[in-house]
Amino acid sequence: MKNIKYLFLSILGVVLLFTSCQEDDISFGDITAPKNVTITAEIVGQDTDNPYGDGTGFVNFVATADDEISYKFDFGDGTSEVAPNGTVTHRYTSVGVNPFTVVVSAIGTGGTMSSTALEIELYSSFTDPEAETFLSGANVGDSKTWYWAANVALHVGLGPVDEDYGNGEFAYEAWWNAIQPFDEEKSCMYTNEFVFTKTADGLTFEQTVGPAFVPGTYADILGVATGDTCYDETVIPSMFGVKDVSFFPSSSMAALEGTYNDQPYRQSSFSISDGGFMGWYVGSVEYDIISISETEMQVRFIQEGGGYAWYAKFQTQNPFEVDDFPTLTWSDEFDTNGAPDSANWTYDLGAGGWGNQEVQTYTDNAENVSVQDGVLKITAKADGSGGYTSTRLKSQGLQEFTYGRVEIRAKLPSSQGTWPALWMLGANFSDVGWPACGEIDIMEQTGDNKTNILGTCHWFDSGTNAGASYGEITEVADSTSEFHVYSLEWTEESLRIFVDGTAYYTLTNSEDLPFYDKDFFFIMNIAMGGTLGGTIDPAFTEDSMEVDYIRVYQ
């Protein structure tokens, strides 16, 4: 609606520019206020049996005037709209029979206005008390604060408004569905806080912490030079302040005909008065509730002007305080000297290259593996005859897990040609083999660059009928002299790999991958040479990887 105002100002600006060129004539012409302003209202469904309408809350307004350019309607419920032709339909959402004073202002030349008012009384029957309670609480005076669900994948998405293409794309994030937790570009908005409060008259809304994110698709419409970034209230003045929340039945194609994850929409919508919005600014919008509970809400809303349908996830837990894995399920602190605990660990033994042209022979000898002074030590050694020994420790058949946060505190070897790894294999390895079982490399260190740390996942891709992998590299300058915590956060939505709490790797999980709802076991080893170990230092004698602990939280 602001486009009309801008058009009027632009026309006025042209007049000013034109007249400024006339040295002897600086008049604007006649400034005439509109006259004979009238307004009529048709309450939808009103008849003898339904004197206040059919309960939908719709009213059709028609305004007329002489010498007008446009019209502004103030509907008496805290909302307003500009209508150049004087015709507009508005939905009232206050439940019950309620009176409203509607004021229409006819706008004339020079910004002059003439107004008239109309009293109406109508009935609105729609209510969603459960959704209201979820948003704010059950009792008058209750409040609830909502946040972006920034800690989960796909907390923002984009799709078409009504294009189907045969697959229902209009009801889910068909165009953009790849955002990962704590996306760097969107990080400016993750501090947002949205407070819903139950009052005797309904719900109120207040954004208490800014700013607002403006996507690139709306930057030109808003009139800012840069999109896909945040702006404060000097650019979006409607961001703050207490506003009213109105509920009404959904009318979008997505809500009425579509599904999301094979589930129907709730078919309830809400809007926020006075230009209010929830963090993602694309003009005045109505929020279709896809789903809602006491702690989570997913909504769909259409960008002003149409063409783009946005999706957003919110939650009542501050995303920076979320602990998705609060319970320590299992750990080995390596507190007992001697061999590793046989309740947790067994061994791969022998030589054979292990698929990577490695040259070591794995043993369970104490010289290659032991627990001493609270630390597990795996040691690779030259055997004096041109060969090497080491240990490959595994929890297969003993400790296996699906999902959780894994933390391993370790210090890595420094010798050229050593290839240490902290990793996981699918527990169905014996049945389906590699890579069909899946592999999660929480930490691998290269043999020739001891500051390079790799996080990688491997699997079998049925589409190409071949092995597939995705990996990332980060740098840890003192990996061989200091202990660092190498972590994995693994859910049905994603796999994220960290060093000292900083994520550098994310893979979206799905039912098509072996990491979805499958048990995995741990492997810790040092290989020598091979595809990642590379050339071994000719003077190598021995080197160790030390592990302070391994912990699984779920």
Side-chain angles (χ1 to χ4, degrees), residues 129 132-144 196-203:
E132 291 187 21
T133 297
F134 284 151
L135 279 172
S136 63
N139 303 308
V140 172
D142 286 350
S143 287
K144 191 180 288 187
F196 289 85
T197 302
K198 184 178 285 292
T199 72
D201 298 321
L203 258 61

Side-chain angles (χ1 to χ4, degrees), residues 171-209:
Y172 66 92
E173 312 93 331
W175 286 349
W176 177 49
N177 50 30
I179 190 171
Q180 297 301 310
F182 296 107
D183 181 85
E184 183 176 356
E185 184 184 60
K186 310 299 184 297
S187 61
C188 58
M189 73 180 188
Y190 292 151
T191 57
N192 287 169
E193 296 183 7
F194 313 106
V195 180
F196 289 85
T197 302
K198 184 178 285 292
T199 72
D201 298 321
L203 258 61
T204 63
F205 168 89
E206 182 179 11
Q207 179 170 343
T208 56
V209 179

Side-chain angles (χ1 to χ4, degrees), residues 338-498:
D341 188 345
S342 60
N344 295 330
W345 304 105
T346 184
Y347 303 87
D348 278 323
L349 300 174
W354 302 97
N356 302 297
Q357 295 84 53
E358 306 162 24
V359 297
Q360 78 288 333
T361 297
Y362 286 129
T363 83
D364 57 2
N365 298 335
E367 64 180 9
N368 293 120
V369 59
S370 64
V371 176
Q372 301 172 14
D373 301 323
V375 172
L376 168 72
K377 184 176 288 188
I378 295 176
T379 302
K381 300 173 67 74
D383 65 7
S385 302
Y388 307 91
T389 60
S390 184
T391 288
R392 181 153 130 165
L393 203 60
K394 62 181 183 178
S395 68
Q396 185 178 18
L398 299 171
Q399 304 294 342
E400 299 175 347
F401 303 93
T402 302
Y403 304 144
R405 183 174 70 246
V406 179
E407 296 180 357
I408 308 175
R409 186 171 185 263
K411 183 168 64 174
L412 309 181
S414 60
S415 299
Q416 178 184 320
T418 55
W419 174 4
L422 307 169
W423 52 300
M424 303 176 75
L425 272 183
N428 61 351
F429 168 72
S430 299
D431 298 323
V432 302
W434 185 94
C437 66
E439 176 182 330
I440 306 169
D441 299 324
I442 301 171
M443 185 289 303
E444 289 183 288
Q445 180 199 51
T446 61
D448 60 348
N449 185 339
K450 292 302 181 180
T451 66
N452 277 356
I453 302 299
L454 287 70
T456 310
C457 286
H458 303 267
W459 64 94
F460 182 81
D461 180 53
S462 58
T464 59
N465 199 36
S469 66
Y470 167 61
E472 293 287 353
I473 299 175
T474 191
E475 186 171 296
V476 182
D478 57 354
S479 66
T480 65
S481 60
E482 301 294 334
F483 281 90
H484 293 273
V485 178
Y486 302 95
S487 304
L488 165 73
E489 288 192 357
W490 172 28
T491 69
E492 64 180 21
E493 289 85 21
S494 66
L495 294 90
R496 304 175 70 208
I497 299 176
F498 304 72

Side-chain angles (χ1 to χ4, degrees), residues 35-292:
K35 300 181 291 294
N36 302 321
V37 182
T38 66
I39 180 175
T40 60
E42 176 199 4
I43 299 174
V44 173
Q46 186 179 47
D47 55 27
T48 303
D49 296 327
N50 301 283
Y52 303 106
D54 60 6
T56 62
F58 281 112
V59 181
N60 299 317
F61 293 101
V62 177
T64 63
D66 298 329
D67 302 318
E68 90 293 345
I69 295 174
S70 186
Y71 298 88
K72 179 185 178 185
F73 289 83
D74 290 293
F75 298 111
D77 61 354
T79 64
S80 61
E81 185 171 341
V82 173
N85 62 3
T87 301
V88 68
T89 298
H90 182 67
R91 170 181 257 157
Y92 290 86
T93 59
S94 297
V95 176
V97 177
N98 295 284
F100 298 95
T101 300
V102 183
V103 177
V104 63
S105 300
I107 305 169
T109 57
T112 58
M113 288 195 296
S114 300
S115 302
T116 190
L118 176 69
E119 301 289 334
I120 63 171
E121 194 169 11
L122 73 153
Y123 172 57
S124 177
S125 61
F126 181 81
T127 181
D128 189 342
E130 183 183 50
E132 291 187 21
T133 297
F134 284 151
L135 279 172
S136 63
N139 303 308
V140 172
D142 286 350
S143 287
K144 191 180 288 187
T145 302
W146 291 79
Y147 306 86
W148 283 103
N151 55 301
V152 303
L154 200 52
H155 50 276
V156 180
L158 175 66
V161 172
D162 53 21
E163 288 89 345
D164 188 0
Y165 309 119
N167 294 306
E169 282 90 339
F170 59 85
Y172 66 92
E173 312 93 331
W175 286 349
W176 177 49
N177 50 30
I179 190 171
Q180 297 301 310
F182 296 107
D183 181 85
E184 183 176 356
E185 184 184 60
K186 310 299 184 297
S187 61
C188 58
M189 73 180 188
Y190 292 151
T191 57
N192 287 169
E193 296 183 7
F194 313 106
V195 180
F196 289 85
T197 302
K198 184 178 285 292
T199 72
D201 298 321
L203 258 61
T204 63
F205 168 89
E206 182 179 11
Q207 179 170 343
T208 56
V209 179
F213 189 88
V214 177
T217 60
Y218 196 67
D220 288 345
I221 299 173
L222 183 61
V224 294
T226 305
D228 293 324
T229 191
C230 286
Y231 289 92
D232 63 16
E233 66 272 23
T234 62
V235 176
I236 308 171
S238 64
M239 186 185 313
F240 297 120
V242 178
K243 307 171 191 299
D244 294 323
V245 179
S246 300
F247 280 84
F248 44 89
S250 297
S251 57
S252 70
M253 181 178 177
L256 299 180
E257 301 179 23
T259 61
Y260 191 91
N261 287 339
D262 297 323
Q263 297 297 316
Y265 278 52
R266 187 178 183 87
Q267 299 193 356
S268 294
S269 299
F270 68 89
S271 63
I272 303 169
S273 70
D274 304 315
F277 60 97
M278 295 188 72
W280 192 273
Y281 189 68
V282 289
S284 298
V285 298
E286 298 176 355
Y287 292 93
D288 262 330
I289 300 176
I290 299 173
S291 62
I292 189 171

